[in-house]
Amino acid sequence: MSRFFTQGDSSSESSSSDEEELYSEEEGEKKSDEESSEEEDASDEEASSSSDEGGKSGVSKFLRDVASSDESEDEDKVTVVKSAKDKRLEELEGVVKIIDNAIKINDWSSISTEFDKLNRQVTKITTSEKAPKAYVKTISDLEDFMNEAIAKQKVSTKKMNATNARGLNAMKQKIKRNNKDYVTDIEKYREDKFEYMMSEEEEEVAPVEKPKKPSRIYVEGLDAGDDEGFSMVGRGGKTLQYTPESILKHLRSIVESRGKKNTDRAEQIRIMEKLLEVADTPYRTIRVLLTLISTRFDLTTGSTATFMSQENWKMAEHEFGTLLETLEANDNMVVLENAEEWEDDDKPPQPVAGQMLKIPGSIVSVVERLDDELTRSLQHIDPHTAEYIERLTDEQALYTNIIRALLYVENLKRNASLELSDDGANRVVMRRLEHVYFKPAQVVTILEETAWNGIPAQLNSEITPRANNSDVDSLVQTLSTYLFKHSADIIRARAYLCQVYYFALHDQYYKARDMLLMSHLQETIGNFPINTQILFNRTLVQVGLCAFRANLVYESQNTLQEICGSGRQKELLAQGVMIQRYSQVTPEQERLERQRQLPFHMHINLELLECVYLTCSMLLEIPLLAQTGSSPDIKKRIISKTYRRLLEFHERQIFTGPPENTRDHVMQASRALAAGEWKKSADLINSIKIWELMAESDKIKAMLSAQIQEEGLRTYLFTYAPFYDTLAVSTLASMFELSESKVAAVVSKMISHEELAAALDQVNSAIIFRKGVELSRLQSLALTLSDKASGLIEANERTLEQRTQGTANAFERQGGQGGRGGRGGRGNRGGQRGDRGGSRTRGGQQFGGGALGGAIKA
């Protein structure tokens, strides 16, 4: 009998355990096994206790006293199991308590942090239900408290600290966006708070099994999904359908996720491409395009990619063109940087007749970013490959969009009600000028014609009319003049330098030189940004090359001296990074330096630059070196230290082979010119292959040959003038293959500049040298020794004066007391020395200099 009841008891316990397992289904199998094992242990203990009590069995087993009931209650408390929903509600209540405590101490920073945590908890609970009423109460009270805090802040004289102010501003935006979804619940709560919260206790919600989140489901007759009837699904298994009404909500969620970690930008771009397909109004199309272009630019931000891929760039450029077409077709909509954002995502704004609908965005910034991304990609592509040429072809599409953006900005400026500044137009005009100034006129003409052919005929520019696109000089002049009038210091300076560069590139040397000197930029260029300093260096170099092409050797060498004499041409022209062995450059500085590098098609040939500089230095230095042989006073004058150093190094070489590079050619030509072999020097200079890169290379070579002949004549006269009394002009003309009139002109110039002590006899056509003026080698050395001795004496006197300041008479010897003569026992010698010292006091302390001083005085 007792056994029967024991079995019945265990069955009842197992049934109760089944109910508990049903109740706590989400807790898993492990927990249920532990419970069943605990129950079995409990049943064993009960069985043993029944045997101890004297063999109670049958009905008596169910008759328990108070102690046994208390034990059963304790067991029930231990085995309480909570569902997942209850746990989440408890976590929600914990966050609400933290927010309440933060409200009491006015800690908005903590409120902002906990509010985000609260929203995350709610999203887990409200997948298929309404929001918990505790959550509705919290957000409603938060909004009221926030409004009170803002009102107090406006009246109060005491300012909130920075952390609290940031938290308050953040909560202002968060509550404004968040409470839109719970407007009806908040209104119900505010109507009767007590009734609203009490009704929550009466409601009982049956536990609902959490649906699994499928990645794709099949939907019949759904065209908006993927192929073969499949469609993307979102949270809770709901199908994501892209409709025109949902466009603004999708865009807001995408914009809010910008800058956050683990954001799949590629997926966002795919979503926006689908939104663009379903956009049914110009407003929605413009909003989608602005967000889509910005997201494409974000693909390279914060990623390992250093530049935008060509495919993405072309897509962004195409979408920008579509955006401009949409704006041109809808005059009542404008994109402005200072426009207010539309907050209502359910109801788009409706344009009012006679008024402009302002959309937040920036056309100018998009153009600048497209330009920067193209430049960045050209910096990283190998310039000696076909890929670089292919990428360079995209510049035409970019230039067309720059002109269209300028037309759009001009159109906005015509509307006086918008009150736009000149900044946007200045930035676009500057970008256009930067694409033009370094190109030859023929290339710019093709660029302009192609760009205007791709722009609708009804569009025209007031700054640069369509009819004047063939005159490149007028185009550069117009763009530069516009920026002079309307822009600030930096843009004005860049425009000025671009115009000077263009003039120098097209052989207008005197105009470029005068503009550069009148600007006085060389005095203040150190205060400008590094990019502007690089442009100044490029302009300076181009002016020097222009002077060389104009046969102005001295002006060319003087202009190029500052850049080429430093030995840092690559770095100063932003055509390469020079990494020195012991440099203290940080990785960040090196990265910025690489970002400033110019694309290869904008480079100035450094080998040509060095060749021009060394050639000009040779033509100036060789006659100067010959002149210092007879006039030691000029020896201190050095035109180019770089050239002198290279020449001395070349002369120290024991064996000199045939020239291999540009520098070797110039050095060997210099030695030949100094020796009077002007033909050999001209052949060596003309054999440099780099001259072929210049326009009209034959004309350049002829100019160099004539210049070498003239400088060879000057060198010959400086070197051999002391050995002649008279010299026939015809002799010099035959030696250097010059006309007699040219020789007479060169000699007259040297005489007038007092470089040559001679006279020109025009009757006999001869040069008469004045004797006694030119010194021999021995006389020159004697004068040099005299100068050095005089300098040594002056240095000694200055040193003595510095050491005896305040004690001028400390070392004077008067009478017998001077020197050591004052000592007893040596009076005679002291007296004699005293006499000698006394004879010296008439002129103070004097140094006769001994035999050397006598020779110098004589």
Side-chain angles (χ1 to χ4, degrees), residues 375-387:
T375 303
R376 195 173 292 122
S377 65
L378 289 172
Q379 286 174 346
H380 289 85
I381 297 174
D382 185 2
H384 305 292
T385 59
E387 183 186 0

Side-chain angles (χ1 to χ4, degrees), residues 359-548:
I359 304 171
S362 178
I363 297 295
V364 178
S365 298
V366 175
V367 169
E368 291 179 331
R369 186 65 187 271
L370 282 172
D371 192 8
D372 293 339
E373 290 294 343
L374 179 62
T375 303
R376 195 173 292 122
S377 65
L378 289 172
Q379 286 174 346
H380 289 85
I381 297 174
D382 185 2
H384 305 292
T385 59
E387 183 186 0
Y388 188 90
I389 304 300
E390 181 186 357
R391 194 76 180 93
L392 196 56
T393 57
D394 293 334
E395 188 181 12
Q396 178 65 65
L398 175 63
Y399 188 75
T400 305
N401 280 330
I402 289 175
I403 296 179
R404 291 193 72 171
L406 178 59
L407 298 178
Y408 179 73
V409 174
E410 284 184 39
N411 188 27
L412 294 182
K413 285 188 66 179
R414 293 191 195 104
N415 192 342
S417 62
L418 297 177
E419 298 179 355
L420 292 180
S421 64
D422 295 327
D423 181 60
N426 292 341
R427 286 155 61 190
V428 180
V429 170
M430 191 68 236
R431 292 282 175 168
R432 186 177 176 185
L433 182 60
E434 286 178 346
H435 278 272
V436 167
Y437 79 96
F438 65 92
K439 293 183 174 73
Q442 299 86 348
V443 178
V444 179
T445 303
I446 297 171
L447 194 68
E448 282 282 319
E449 290 177 355
T450 310
W452 282 106
N453 290 336
I455 297 175
Q458 67 270 18
L459 297 176
N460 202 354
S461 172
E462 293 181 355
I463 301 174
T464 56
R466 183 189 292 261
N468 298 339
N469 61 356
S470 58
D471 188 0
V472 181
D473 291 351
S474 174
L475 172 68
V476 174
Q477 180 73 31
T478 304
L479 295 176
S480 303
T481 305
Y482 178 84
L483 292 174
F484 297 159
K485 292 179 180 178
H486 299 89
S487 63
D489 294 337
I490 295 177
I491 295 183
R492 185 186 293 123
R494 290 185 67 84
Y496 209 93
L497 291 171
C498 287
Q499 189 175 10
V500 173
Y501 189 103
Y502 179 82
F503 286 149
L505 186 65
H506 293 82
D507 294 332
Q508 301 179 36
Y509 169 72
Y510 291 104
K511 189 181 290 188
R513 181 200 65 182
D514 294 343
M515 284 188 64
L516 192 60
L517 293 177
M518 285 190 297
S519 67
H520 296 284
L521 279 173
Q522 59 272 17
E523 301 169 6
T524 59
I525 193 63
N527 302 326
F528 284 89
I530 296 179
N531 289 333
T532 307
Q533 295 182 28
I534 290 170
L535 180 58
F536 177 80
N537 294 339
R538 285 167 52 80
T539 305
L540 202 62
V541 166
Q542 199 60 248
V543 171
L545 293 175
C546 179
F548 177 77

Side-chain angles (χ1 to χ4, degrees), residues 826-837:
R826 286 205 220 172
N828 293 334
R829 292 173 59 189
Q832 292 172 0
R833 291 188 185 180
D835 293 339
R836 282 188 304 207

Side-chain angles (χ1 to χ4, degrees), residues 133-367:
K133 297 192 176 182
Y135 175 73
V136 175
K137 174 182 178 297
T138 303
I139 62 175
S140 176
D141 294 345
L142 260 179
E143 185 175 4
D144 296 338
F145 181 65
M146 181 194 70
N147 293 332
E148 291 177 9
I150 293 173
K152 287 180 182 177
Q153 190 65 22
K154 289 180 180 178
V155 179
S156 175
T157 56
K158 185 179 179 181
K159 290 187 177 181
M160 196 180 288
N161 63 37
T163 308
N164 247 6
R166 282 197 297 270
L168 179 59
N169 290 333
M171 283 301 299
K172 185 177 178 182
Q173 300 298 327
K174 290 175 184 177
I175 290 177
K176 189 175 182 181
R177 289 195 301 263
N178 185 71
N179 288 12
K180 287 181 182 179
D181 300 331
Y182 306 100
V183 174
T184 55
D185 293 332
I186 292 173
E187 288 177 355
K188 288 180 183 179
Y189 169 73
R190 286 176 176 168
E191 286 175 4
D192 193 346
K193 298 182 180 180
F194 181 76
E195 183 65 27
Y196 183 83
M197 297 305 294
M198 289 300 292
S199 64
E200 183 182 17
E201 298 175 0
E202 298 171 1
E203 294 178 1
E204 291 183 2
V205 181
V208 180
E209 184 179 357
K210 186 177 179 181
K212 294 182 180 180
K213 183 180 177 183
S215 58
R216 291 178 182 269
I217 61 173
Y218 185 77
V219 183
E220 293 183 0
L222 187 64
D223 296 332
D226 295 340
D227 295 337
E228 300 179 0
F230 286 93
S231 176
M232 296 296 296
V233 295
R235 180 175 293 171
K238 295 181 180 179
T239 308
L240 289 177
Q241 297 187 20
Y242 302 111
T243 60
E245 292 76 17
S246 66
I247 285 177
L248 297 181
K249 289 184 178 179
H250 284 295
L251 292 180
R252 183 173 292 279
S253 64
I254 289 171
V255 170
E256 288 175 355
S257 66
R258 286 184 70 183
K260 294 183 178 179
K261 291 182 179 179
N262 302 324
T263 302
D264 190 356
R265 296 189 181 95
E267 179 63 27
Q268 290 180 348
I269 289 174
R270 284 194 290 271
I271 292 172
M272 282 187 284
E273 287 174 349
K274 292 179 181 178
L275 293 176
L276 187 60
E277 293 174 1
V278 300
D280 57 345
T281 61
Y283 175 78
R284 291 188 174 115
T285 304
I286 292 169
R287 287 288 303 272
V288 173
L289 285 171
L290 285 170
T291 312
L292 179 56
I293 294 170
S294 301
T295 309
R296 288 195 188 277
F297 290 142
D298 287 344
L299 284 174
T300 55
T301 306
S303 63
T304 55
T306 52
F307 62 94
M308 198 172 180
S309 65
Q310 186 174 6
E311 180 184 1
N312 271 325
W313 189 91
K314 286 189 173 181
M315 292 295 293
E317 184 269 330
H318 175 71
E319 288 153 4
F320 180 66
T322 308
L323 174 63
L324 289 176
E325 290 175 1
T326 308
L327 290 170
E328 290 162 1
N330 298 273
D331 296 337
N332 57 343
M333 297 183 185
V334 293
V335 175
L336 298 175
E337 294 182 11
N338 55 358
E340 294 183 0
E341 188 174 353
W342 184 257
E343 298 291 343
D344 192 356
D345 295 339
D346 297 324
K347 184 180 178 183
Q350 299 297 328
V352 182
Q355 292 185 2
M356 291 285 188
L357 179 58
K358 299 178 181 179
I359 304 171
S362 178
I363 297 295
V364 178
S365 298
V366 175
V367 169

Side-chain angles (χ1 to χ4, degrees), residues 94 115 275 440 472 574 653 656 800:
F115 186 73
L275 293 176
V472 181
Q653 290 182 350
T656 305
L800 185 62

